[in-house]
Amino acid sequence: MKLGVVGLPNVGKSTLFNALTQAGAQSANYPFCTIEPNVGIVAVPDERLDTLVKMYSPKSTVPASIEFVDIAGLVKGASRGEGLGNKFLSHIREVDAIVHVVRCFQSDDIIHVDGSVNPVRDMETINYELIFADMETMDRRIDRTKKSMKSGEKKYKEELELQERIKAHLESGKPVRSMELSKDEKEAVEQLFLLTDKPVIYVANIAEDEIGTETEALLKLREAANAEGATVLPLSAQIEEEIASLDEAEEREAFIEEMGLGESGLSKLIKKCYDLLGLISFLTAGADECRAWTITKGTKAPQAAGKIHTDFERGFIRADVVNFATLMQHGNMNICKEKGLIRSEGKEYTMQDGDIVVFKFNV
């Protein structure tokens, strides 16, 4: 999973990226501090994997991972090449989802590129630039489709109708992801690779003393995000930076508890992004390795096996499965075996989040 972290200059984007990934990206109080995207690979926190590691004491442990890409800030006119707009747009095309950092905190020490803090305006600035870029894409697509219609094939007429609907939706100032589309139309839209079709989560960067408070700025951002069916996650980049600076896990846990956060911003963000992209994890466990694997909801057992190795999918026989919740209920794998709780599933089995599985195959 590849997530693009975007936002206007000086909203705390690179500070949050550093905290989430501990990658040490440059962070400074001036626009365009980030020019080439910084990349950080982050292990997905998973208490289930931690528990399996304690059970098996494996030679190696491999958590699922997420790639965060800190993409250069942009300004109004980016779709026309202003600032670092063209680079920004090319980098954002490569990610699976967008983490849009919006500044909700006040500070006289940190300048705002537009002179004042207004989260809804900032959110719309980036959205409009992506919309303008998509409108250009659709103009080119529509021109090509009109030329293809000369062949007389019915499919081009249907394509043109959908494309013109998309363009009209964009012209109304709305992202493509907010359109009501049939399953076939969604598949067609995916082939257009539009920026505003990418799922988005808005991270509201709030002040330390605003944690747990619904400020006016946060409420307005939620209202604007709800209008396009998007989620808002309030975080304090400053606090996340402090958490990341602590070396010991016990210290981090104590600090998180003291601040009343429940869990780190990284854990919250990853959970939101898994939901956003419709992802789940299954696990494999043994003396050699304990590992978490990320798949899309609805994945069948053979395709999940193929994530491990193509031979597993090609020669799939069955999957021996017990869910983590069942394992915890009964204590260990041996008891689950004795009670017949490890199920033998075939090719039509749909994998569930937290399944612990052994694939049987023959090539």
Side-chain angles (χ1 to χ4, degrees), residues 18 36 48 51 61 107 116 119 151 158 176 180 200 212 231 235-236 252 255 266 275 311 325 331 335 340 357:
N18 287 344
E36 291 302 323
R48 300 168 302 189
T51 301
T61 303
S107 173
S116 63
S151 68
E158 292 173 350
V176 171
E180 289 188 15
V200 65
T231 301
L235 290 180
S236 169
R252 290 195 293 271
F255 183 78
L266 174 62
D275 288 342
D311 284 350
I335 294 174
V357 60

PDB file of all heavy atoms in Angstrom, residues 18 36 48 51 61 107 116 119 151 158 176 180 200 212 231 235-236 252 255 266 275 311 325 331 335 340 357:
ATOM      1  N   ASN A  18       7.672  12.748   9.220  1.00  0.00           N
ATOM      2  CA  ASN A  18       8.837  12.353  10.030  1.00  0.00           C
ATOM      3  C   ASN A  18       8.414  11.543  11.248  1.00  0.00           C
ATOM      4  O   ASN A  18       9.037  10.542  11.596  1.00  0.00           O
ATOM      5  CB  ASN A  18       9.603  13.593  10.505  1.00  0.00           C
ATOM      6  CG  ASN A  18      10.376  14.263   9.397  1.00  0.00           C
ATOM      7  OD1 ASN A  18      10.587  13.676   8.359  1.00  0.00           O
ATOM      8  ND2 ASN A  18      10.768  15.498   9.621  1.00  0.00           N
ATOM      9  N   GLU A  36      11.751  16.830  -3.973  1.00  0.00           N
ATOM     10  CA  GLU A  36      11.579  15.439  -4.375  1.00  0.00           C
ATOM     11  C   GLU A  36      10.882  14.711  -3.226  1.00  0.00           C
ATOM     12  O   GLU A  36      11.135  14.994  -2.057  1.00  0.00           O
ATOM     13  CB  GLU A  36      12.937  14.796  -4.667  1.00  0.00           C
ATOM     14  CG  GLU A  36      13.615  15.348  -5.915  1.00  0.00           C
ATOM     15  CD  GLU A  36      12.769  15.189  -7.173  1.00  0.00           C
ATOM     16  OE1 GLU A  36      12.094  14.149  -7.293  1.00  0.00           O
ATOM     17  OE2 GLU A  36      12.780  16.096  -8.014  1.00  0.00           O
ATOM     18  N   ARG A  48      -1.912  -8.897  16.930  1.00  0.00           N
ATOM     19  CA  ARG A  48      -2.087 -10.330  16.645  1.00  0.00           C
ATOM     20  C   ARG A  48      -0.745 -10.962  16.279  1.00  0.00           C
ATOM     21  O   ARG A  48      -0.410 -12.063  16.742  1.00  0.00           O
ATOM     22  CB  ARG A  48      -3.099 -10.524  15.516  1.00  0.00           C
ATOM     23  CG  ARG A  48      -4.482  -9.957  15.847  1.00  0.00           C
ATOM     24  CD  ARG A  48      -5.390  -9.896  14.648  1.00  0.00           C
ATOM     25  NE  ARG A  48      -4.827  -9.095  13.554  1.00  0.00           N
ATOM     26  CZ  ARG A  48      -5.483  -8.747  12.467  1.00  0.00           C
ATOM     27  NH1 ARG A  48      -6.737  -9.125  12.310  1.00  0.00           N
ATOM     28  NH2 ARG A  48      -4.908  -8.032  11.524  1.00  0.00           N
ATOM     29  N   THR A  51       1.425 -11.353  19.312  1.00  0.00           N
ATOM     30  CA  THR A  51       1.021 -12.510  20.124  1.00  0.00           C
ATOM     31  C   THR A  51       1.555 -13.804  19.538  1.00  0.00           C
ATOM     32  O   THR A  51       2.052 -14.679  20.265  1.00  0.00           O
ATOM     33  CB  THR A  51      -0.518 -12.578  20.218  1.00  0.00           C
ATOM     34  OG1 THR A  51      -1.005 -11.370  20.809  1.00  0.00           O
ATOM     35  CG2 THR A  51      -0.967 -13.765  21.060  1.00  0.00           C
ATOM     36  N   THR A  61      10.472 -12.362  11.943  1.00  0.00           N
ATOM     37  CA  THR A  61       9.130 -11.776  12.030  1.00  0.00           C
ATOM     38  C   THR A  61       9.000 -10.729  10.935  1.00  0.00           C
ATOM     39  O   THR A  61       9.866  -9.860  10.809  1.00  0.00           O
ATOM     40  CB  THR A  61       8.913 -11.096  13.397  1.00  0.00           C
ATOM     41  OG1 THR A  61       9.135 -12.065  14.431  1.00  0.00           O
ATOM     42  CG2 THR A  61       7.504 -10.549  13.511  1.00  0.00           C
ATOM     43  N   SER A 107      -0.700  29.607  14.972  1.00  0.00           N
ATOM     44  CA  SER A 107       0.651  29.867  15.473  1.00  0.00           C
ATOM     45  C   SER A 107       1.218  31.096  14.783  1.00  0.00           C
ATOM     46  O   SER A 107       1.235  31.166  13.550  1.00  0.00           O
ATOM     47  CB  SER A 107       1.567  28.658  15.207  1.00  0.00           C
ATOM     48  OG  SER A 107       2.896  28.976  15.537  1.00  0.00           O
ATOM     49  N   SER A 116      -3.403  33.196   6.437  1.00  0.00           N
ATOM     50  CA  SER A 116      -4.311  32.929   7.560  1.00  0.00           C
ATOM     51  C   SER A 116      -4.675  31.450   7.584  1.00  0.00           C
ATOM     52  O   SER A 116      -4.553  30.754   6.578  1.00  0.00           O
ATOM     53  CB  SER A 116      -5.589  33.765   7.430  1.00  0.00           C
ATOM     54  OG  SER A 116      -6.299  33.401   6.257  1.00  0.00           O
ATOM     55  N   PRO A 119      -8.961  25.950   7.279  1.00  0.00           N
ATOM     56  CA  PRO A 119      -8.823  24.568   6.811  1.00  0.00           C
ATOM     57  C   PRO A 119      -9.683  24.225   5.605  1.00  0.00           C
ATOM     58  O   PRO A 119      -9.247  23.474   4.729  1.00  0.00           O
ATOM     59  CB  PRO A 119      -9.211  23.727   8.031  1.00  0.00           C
ATOM     60  CG  PRO A 119      -9.858  24.659   8.992  1.00  0.00           C
ATOM     61  CD  PRO A 119      -9.335  26.012   8.708  1.00  0.00           C
ATOM     62  N   SER A 151     -16.021   4.977 -36.141  1.00  0.00           N
ATOM     63  CA  SER A 151     -16.076   3.563 -36.537  1.00  0.00           C
ATOM     64  C   SER A 151     -17.490   3.000 -36.457  1.00  0.00           C
ATOM     65  O   SER A 151     -17.781   1.943 -37.016  1.00  0.00           O
ATOM     66  CB  SER A 151     -15.147   2.734 -35.641  1.00  0.00           C
ATOM     67  OG  SER A 151     -15.650   2.692 -34.305  1.00  0.00           O
ATOM     68  N   GLU A 158     -21.278   4.890 -25.549  1.00  0.00           N
ATOM     69  CA  GLU A 158     -21.460   4.725 -24.104  1.00  0.00           C
ATOM     70  C   GLU A 158     -20.281   5.324 -23.337  1.00  0.00           C
ATOM     71  O   GLU A 158     -20.468   5.945 -22.285  1.00  0.00           O
ATOM     72  CB  GLU A 158     -21.602   3.227 -23.769  1.00  0.00           C
ATOM     73  CG  GLU A 158     -22.899   2.620 -24.311  1.00  0.00           C
ATOM     74  CD  GLU A 158     -22.946   1.112 -24.133  1.00  0.00           C
ATOM     75  OE1 GLU A 158     -21.904   0.521 -23.765  1.00  0.00           O
ATOM     76  OE2 GLU A 158     -24.024   0.529 -24.380  1.00  0.00           O
ATOM     77  N   VAL A 176     -14.219  13.151  -8.504  1.00  0.00           N
ATOM     78  CA  VAL A 176     -14.844  11.991  -9.145  1.00  0.00           C
ATOM     79  C   VAL A 176     -15.258  10.940  -8.112  1.00  0.00           C
ATOM     80  O   VAL A 176     -16.257  10.246  -8.291  1.00  0.00           O
ATOM     81  CB  VAL A 176     -13.890  11.389 -10.203  1.00  0.00           C
ATOM     82  CG1 VAL A 176     -14.405  10.060 -10.733  1.00  0.00           C
ATOM     83  CG2 VAL A 176     -13.707  12.379 -11.351  1.00  0.00           C
ATOM     84  N   GLU A 180     -21.943   8.975  -8.129  1.00  0.00           N
ATOM     85  CA  GLU A 180     -22.683   7.717  -8.015  1.00  0.00           C
ATOM     86  C   GLU A 180     -22.495   6.959  -9.326  1.00  0.00           C
ATOM     87  O   GLU A 180     -22.911   7.412 -10.392  1.00  0.00           O
ATOM     88  CB  GLU A 180     -24.169   7.989  -7.757  1.00  0.00           C
ATOM     89  CG  GLU A 180     -24.446   8.538  -6.362  1.00  0.00           C
ATOM     90  CD  GLU A 180     -25.939   8.624  -6.058  1.00  0.00           C
ATOM     91  OE1 GLU A 180     -26.722   8.003  -6.806  1.00  0.00           O
ATOM     92  OE2 GLU A 180     -26.300   9.298  -5.089  1.00  0.00           O
ATOM     93  N   VAL A 200      -9.387   9.399  -0.227  1.00  0.00           N
ATOM     94  CA  VAL A 200      -8.648  10.390   0.554  1.00  0.00           C
ATOM     95  C   VAL A 200      -9.071  10.358   2.016  1.00  0.00           C
ATOM     96  O   VAL A 200     -10.233  10.053   2.332  1.00  0.00           O
ATOM     97  CB  VAL A 200      -8.871  11.818  -0.031  1.00  0.00           C
ATOM     98  CG1 VAL A 200     -10.319  12.242   0.095  1.00  0.00           C
ATOM     99  CG2 VAL A 200      -7.968  12.847   0.630  1.00  0.00           C
ATOM    100  N   GLY A 212      -8.723  16.041  21.704  1.00  0.00           N
ATOM    101  CA  GLY A 212     -10.007  15.670  22.301  1.00  0.00           C
ATOM    102  C   GLY A 212     -11.042  16.773  22.256  1.00  0.00           C
ATOM    103  O   GLY A 212     -12.140  16.623  22.800  1.00  0.00           O
ATOM    104  N   THR A 231     -13.320  10.984   5.303  1.00  0.00           N
ATOM    105  CA  THR A 231     -13.112  10.901   6.748  1.00  0.00           C
ATOM    106  C   THR A 231     -12.086  11.927   7.199  1.00  0.00           C
ATOM    107  O   THR A 231     -11.143  12.230   6.469  1.00  0.00           O
ATOM    108  CB  THR A 231     -12.603   9.494   7.125  1.00  0.00           C
ATOM    109  OG1 THR A 231     -13.558   8.525   6.702  1.00  0.00           O
ATOM    110  CG2 THR A 231     -12.398   9.353   8.618  1.00  0.00           C
ATOM    111  N   LEU A 235      -5.118  14.820  14.418  1.00  0.00           N
ATOM    112  CA  LEU A 235      -3.840  14.426  14.998  1.00  0.00           C
ATOM    113  C   LEU A 235      -3.043  15.680  15.324  1.00  0.00           C
ATOM    114  O   LEU A 235      -3.217  16.706  14.669  1.00  0.00           O
ATOM    115  CB  LEU A 235      -3.010  13.595  14.006  1.00  0.00           C
ATOM    116  CG  LEU A 235      -3.434  12.185  13.641  1.00  0.00           C
ATOM    117  CD1 LEU A 235      -2.426  11.610  12.647  1.00  0.00           C
ATOM    118  CD2 LEU A 235      -3.546  11.298  14.852  1.00  0.00           C
ATOM    119  N   SER A 236      -2.159  15.577  16.279  1.00  0.00           N
ATOM    120  CA  SER A 236      -1.209  16.656  16.531  1.00  0.00           C
ATOM    121  C   SER A 236       0.155  16.187  16.045  1.00  0.00           C
ATOM    122  O   SER A 236       0.755  15.276  16.638  1.00  0.00           O
ATOM    123  CB  SER A 236      -1.142  17.001  18.017  1.00  0.00           C
ATOM    124  OG  SER A 236      -0.042  17.850  18.261  1.00  0.00           O
ATOM    125  N   ARG A 252       6.916   5.024  25.087  1.00  0.00           N
ATOM    126  CA  ARG A 252       5.904   5.504  24.139  1.00  0.00           C
ATOM    127  C   ARG A 252       4.503   5.188  24.644  1.00  0.00           C
ATOM    128  O   ARG A 252       3.606   6.026  24.594  1.00  0.00           O
ATOM    129  CB  ARG A 252       6.137   4.886  22.755  1.00  0.00           C
ATOM    130  CG  ARG A 252       7.382   5.427  22.066  1.00  0.00           C
ATOM    131  CD  ARG A 252       7.390   5.091  20.586  1.00  0.00           C
ATOM    132  NE  ARG A 252       7.534   3.665  20.345  1.00  0.00           N
ATOM    133  CZ  ARG A 252       8.689   3.042  20.220  1.00  0.00           C
ATOM    134  NH1 ARG A 252       9.827   3.712  20.310  1.00  0.00           N
ATOM    135  NH2 ARG A 252       8.742   1.742  19.986  1.00  0.00           N
ATOM    136  N   PHE A 255       3.590   7.473  27.538  1.00  0.00           N
ATOM    137  CA  PHE A 255       3.314   8.831  27.063  1.00  0.00           C
ATOM    138  C   PHE A 255       1.934   8.896  26.409  1.00  0.00           C
ATOM    139  O   PHE A 255       1.169   9.834  26.650  1.00  0.00           O
ATOM    140  CB  PHE A 255       4.395   9.260  26.071  1.00  0.00           C
ATOM    141  CG  PHE A 255       4.251  10.678  25.579  1.00  0.00           C
ATOM    142  CD1 PHE A 255       4.648  11.756  26.353  1.00  0.00           C
ATOM    143  CD2 PHE A 255       3.697  10.932  24.333  1.00  0.00           C
ATOM    144  CE1 PHE A 255       4.504  13.065  25.904  1.00  0.00           C
ATOM    145  CE2 PHE A 255       3.550  12.234  23.864  1.00  0.00           C
ATOM    146  CZ  PHE A 255       3.953  13.303  24.652  1.00  0.00           C
ATOM    147  N   LEU A 266      -0.038   6.951  14.262  1.00  0.00           N
ATOM    148  CA  LEU A 266       0.304   6.011  13.194  1.00  0.00           C
ATOM    149  C   LEU A 266      -0.691   4.857  13.159  1.00  0.00           C
ATOM    150  O   LEU A 266      -1.207   4.499  12.091  1.00  0.00           O
ATOM    151  CB  LEU A 266       1.724   5.473  13.395  1.00  0.00           C
ATOM    152  CG  LEU A 266       2.168   4.380  12.423  1.00  0.00           C
ATOM    153  CD1 LEU A 266       2.181   4.895  10.995  1.00  0.00           C
ATOM    154  CD2 LEU A 266       3.554   3.843  12.799  1.00  0.00           C
ATOM    155  N   ASP A 275      -9.305   0.602   6.135  1.00  0.00           N
ATOM    156  CA  ASP A 275     -10.749   0.690   5.881  1.00  0.00           C
ATOM    157  C   ASP A 275     -11.025   1.410   4.565  1.00  0.00           C
ATOM    158  O   ASP A 275     -11.869   0.986   3.775  1.00  0.00           O
ATOM    159  CB  ASP A 275     -11.450   1.441   7.022  1.00  0.00           C
ATOM    160  CG  ASP A 275     -11.515   0.619   8.300  1.00  0.00           C
ATOM    161  OD1 ASP A 275     -11.338  -0.610   8.225  1.00  0.00           O
ATOM    162  OD2 ASP A 275     -11.730   1.210   9.374  1.00  0.00           O
ATOM    163  N   ASP A 311       3.363 -20.244  -7.015  1.00  0.00           N
ATOM    164  CA  ASP A 311       3.164 -21.698  -7.023  1.00  0.00           C
ATOM    165  C   ASP A 311       2.064 -22.108  -6.058  1.00  0.00           C
ATOM    166  O   ASP A 311       1.354 -23.092  -6.297  1.00  0.00           O
ATOM    167  CB  ASP A 311       4.458 -22.418  -6.636  1.00  0.00           C
ATOM    168  CG  ASP A 311       5.475 -22.430  -7.766  1.00  0.00           C
ATOM    169  OD1 ASP A 311       5.102 -22.055  -8.897  1.00  0.00           O
ATOM    170  OD2 ASP A 311       6.643 -22.811  -7.516  1.00  0.00           O
ATOM    171  N   ALA A 325      -9.165 -14.778  16.658  1.00  0.00           N
ATOM    172  CA  ALA A 325     -10.096 -14.661  17.791  1.00  0.00           C
ATOM    173  C   ALA A 325     -10.375 -16.031  18.393  1.00  0.00           C
ATOM    174  O   ALA A 325     -10.457 -16.190  19.623  1.00  0.00           O
ATOM    175  CB  ALA A 325     -11.398 -13.998  17.340  1.00  0.00           C
ATOM    176  N   GLY A 331      -6.585 -20.517  23.622  1.00  0.00           N
ATOM    177  CA  GLY A 331      -5.260 -20.493  24.241  1.00  0.00           C
ATOM    178  C   GLY A 331      -4.083 -20.835  23.364  1.00  0.00           C
ATOM    179  O   GLY A 331      -3.076 -20.146  23.394  1.00  0.00           O
ATOM    180  N   ILE A 335      -4.730 -26.976  21.239  1.00  0.00           N
ATOM    181  CA  ILE A 335      -6.112 -27.120  21.732  1.00  0.00           C
ATOM    182  C   ILE A 335      -7.089 -26.932  20.564  1.00  0.00           C
ATOM    183  O   ILE A 335      -8.088 -27.658  20.460  1.00  0.00           O
ATOM    184  CB  ILE A 335      -6.393 -26.108  22.862  1.00  0.00           C
ATOM    185  CG1 ILE A 335      -5.544 -26.443  24.090  1.00  0.00           C
ATOM    186  CG2 ILE A 335      -7.879 -26.094  23.219  1.00  0.00           C
ATOM    187  CD1 ILE A 335      -5.642 -25.429  25.213  1.00  0.00           C
ATOM    188  N   GLY A 340     -10.952 -29.663  16.924  1.00  0.00           N
ATOM    189  CA  GLY A 340     -11.408 -29.626  15.531  1.00  0.00           C
ATOM    190  C   GLY A 340     -11.776 -28.238  15.049  1.00  0.00           C
ATOM    191  O   GLY A 340     -12.654 -28.082  14.187  1.00  0.00           O
ATOM    192  N   VAL A 357      -3.356 -19.111   8.692  1.00  0.00           N
ATOM    193  CA  VAL A 357      -3.583 -20.103   7.645  1.00  0.00           C
ATOM    194  C   VAL A 357      -2.302 -20.841   7.274  1.00  0.00           C
ATOM    195  O   VAL A 357      -1.201 -20.291   7.310  1.00  0.00           O
ATOM    196  CB  VAL A 357      -4.207 -19.422   6.385  1.00  0.00           C
ATOM    197  CG1 VAL A 357      -3.295 -18.348   5.847  1.00  0.00           C
ATOM    198  CG2 VAL A 357      -4.544 -20.431   5.308  1.00  0.00           C
TER     199      VAL A 357
END
